[in-house]
Amino acid sequence: MKSLGLLYSILFFVSGLWAQSVSTHVEPDSGYIGDVFTVTYSITLPDQARIEPPRFEESISDLRLLSQSSDTRFDDGQYTRIFTLQVTAFDTGYQIIPAVPFKIQKEGDKFFKTISSDSIRIRILSALSKAQSPPEVYDPLPVPVFTLRQKIILALLLILLIFAVIGILHRRRTRIPESRKGEALKAPFDEAEQSFRNLEERKYLEKGEWKAFYLELTIILKRYIERTFYLHITDLPTAELLPVLKKEIPDLWSEPMSDLIRYSDLVKFARLESSVEKGRQDLKQAYEWCKMVEKTQNSRELSRETEKSP
């Protein structure tokens, strides 16, 4: 009988231990989106029992967990664990704070027993009550961007800007640089002849400035050819220039003139030492070639005019 009474006592004690429940409370029970709700879980257990709290952020994943804290209170051989959470919701309507599992273990036991809190429903209100009608909204009155005076000033400035642009474009089309006015009016051969005289007067050969002499000599030749035959050859290197001249003016371009261009390159780029006699000879050759081309061109022009006349 004593054994049976002891067994009943043990069962009563154990049943009292595991019959513990989780007291759940939320404050307030309704609010607006973004409001903070305080959820409290309270569990009272004997001293020898141990509690393992859950991961609240996983248990209430539908709500945003802002903070959590815990507290312990002792009273007559028992202690109370209090867990306080602060959460918020971002959806309107009724939201459920789900049941949260707590694991409890008696001292000396190998296994935990799980008890769950009650689920709690809270109400999230919209910013505007459904019973309240929304205020009337009117289309905004048009606000002028500019006043009448500002519009007149802007119109005048725009007209002045248009006239200024037209004037600049007109000047660019009609203006001839002062340094080139006389040259632009000269015929190609007259320009070349004057350039040959100027080159001779600069005394490059007497000073031994071979590179400067041949550089200007080839520039005069290329400009005369460009203006006479409308060929763009100024920037062509010798390797490309000579084939173009042989193809475009085969009856006028000669091999001695090709030799002159090649020799000029040697002086300009390979620092070949020339002489006064060689320079004067090349200057005369270039001048005589331009003179020959001018005579040939004039003869062809005269022939064409004769053929056109009845």
Side-chain angles (χ1 to χ4, degrees):
M1 293 296 294
K2 290 183 179 180
S3 299
L4 185 58
L6 181 60
L7 179 60
Y8 279 122
S9 298
I10 295 174
L11 290 175
F12 178 80
F13 175 78
V14 173
S15 63
L17 172 63
W18 297 120
Q20 301 296 325
S21 62
V22 182
S23 175
T24 309
H25 178 72
V26 62
E27 180 68 31
D29 59 357
S30 65
Y32 295 97
I33 292 177
D35 286 353
V36 177
F37 296 86
T38 301
V39 184
T40 305
Y41 301 99
S42 177
I43 308 174
T44 301
L45 297 171
D47 287 342
Q48 66 271 27
R50 186 165 67 91
I51 183 171
E52 182 176 315
R55 295 179 60 87
F56 292 105
E57 62 272 14
E58 296 178 358
S59 301
I60 55 172
S61 57
D62 292 338
L63 302 175
R64 175 69 62 84
L65 178 62
L66 301 178
S67 66
Q68 62 180 9
S69 61
S70 64
D71 189 18
T72 304
R73 299 176 185 176
F74 293 92
D75 184 25
D76 296 334
Q78 293 183 331
Y79 74 98
T80 302
R81 289 290 303 274
I82 301 172
F83 300 92
T84 303
L85 311 180
Q86 287 190 327
V87 300
T88 186
F90 296 99
D91 290 328
T92 58
Y94 286 101
Q95 302 293 322
I96 301 299
I97 301 176
V100 176
F102 294 84
K103 292 183 179 181
I104 300 174
Q105 183 184 37
K106 179 185 175 183
E107 185 179 2
D109 288 350
K110 296 182 179 180
F111 303 102
F112 283 89
K113 182 176 179 63
T114 301
I115 60 175
S116 297
S117 66
D118 296 329
S119 60
I120 303 177
R121 186 174 68 171
I122 60 175
R123 185 185 180 189
I124 307 299
L125 305 174
S126 61
L128 184 65
S129 176
K130 292 182 180 180
Q132 180 181 355
S133 60
E136 295 183 0
V137 179
Y138 300 95
D139 294 333
L141 295 176
V143 179
V145 180
F146 298 104
T147 64
L148 179 60
R149 181 181 178 183
Q150 291 173 334
K151 290 180 180 179
I152 294 174
I153 294 175
L154 289 176
L156 292 176
L157 291 176
L158 181 60
I159 293 173
L160 291 176
L161 178 62
I162 293 174
F163 278 113
V165 172
I166 293 174
I168 292 173
L169 294 177
H170 180 71
R171 289 186 60 186
R172 286 187 178 180
R173 291 181 178 178
T174 58
R175 185 178 58 186
I176 300 176
E178 295 296 331
S179 61
R180 300 292 300 274
K181 276 186 178 180
E183 298 178 4
L185 298 176
K186 288 185 178 180
F189 178 75
D190 294 338
E191 181 187 52
E193 186 177 31
Q194 183 62 46
S195 298
F196 284 134
R197 291 198 191 100
N198 295 338
L199 176 60
E200 188 175 10
E201 292 174 357
R202 290 189 178 93
K203 303 294 182 181
Y204 286 136
L205 298 176
E206 289 74 6
K207 298 176 185 178
E209 298 178 1
W210 320 117
K211 180 177 179 179
F213 174 79
Y214 280 97
L215 180 63
E216 191 166 335
L217 179 62
T218 53
I219 290 176
I220 296 171
L221 271 174
K222 288 182 178 180
R223 176 166 174 77
Y224 173 73
I225 294 171
E226 281 193 340
R227 294 194 61 200
T228 304
F229 301 103
Y230 305 102
L231 300 174
H232 300 287
I233 60 172
T234 301
D235 298 326
L236 291 180
T238 300
E240 299 178 13
L241 172 65
L242 298 181
V244 170
L245 295 177
K246 291 177 181 178
K247 179 181 178 181
E248 298 295 335
I249 51 175
D251 54 337
L252 298 175
W253 189 254
S254 62
E255 190 60 30
M257 290 299 296
S258 297
D259 294 337
L260 173 60
I261 298 296
R262 296 190 189 99
Y263 182 79
S264 299
D265 281 354
L266 293 176
V267 175
K268 291 186 292 183
F269 305 117
R271 299 183 180 179
L272 178 67
E273 292 290 333
S274 186
S275 64
V276 176
E277 293 76 17
K278 175 63 174 172
R280 289 175 179 172
Q281 179 183 352
D282 290 339
L283 177 62
K284 182 179 180 181
Q285 179 183 343
Y287 172 74
E288 292 296 333
W289 182 83
C290 293
K291 189 175 181 181
M292 179 270 297
V293 170
E294 190 68 15
K295 289 181 179 180
T296 303
Q297 292 293 96
N298 291 337
S299 298
R300 290 176 179 175
E301 185 67 25
L302 181 59
S303 298
R304 285 193 293 267
E305 292 295 332
T306 304
E307 292 176 358
K308 291 180 181 179
S309 61

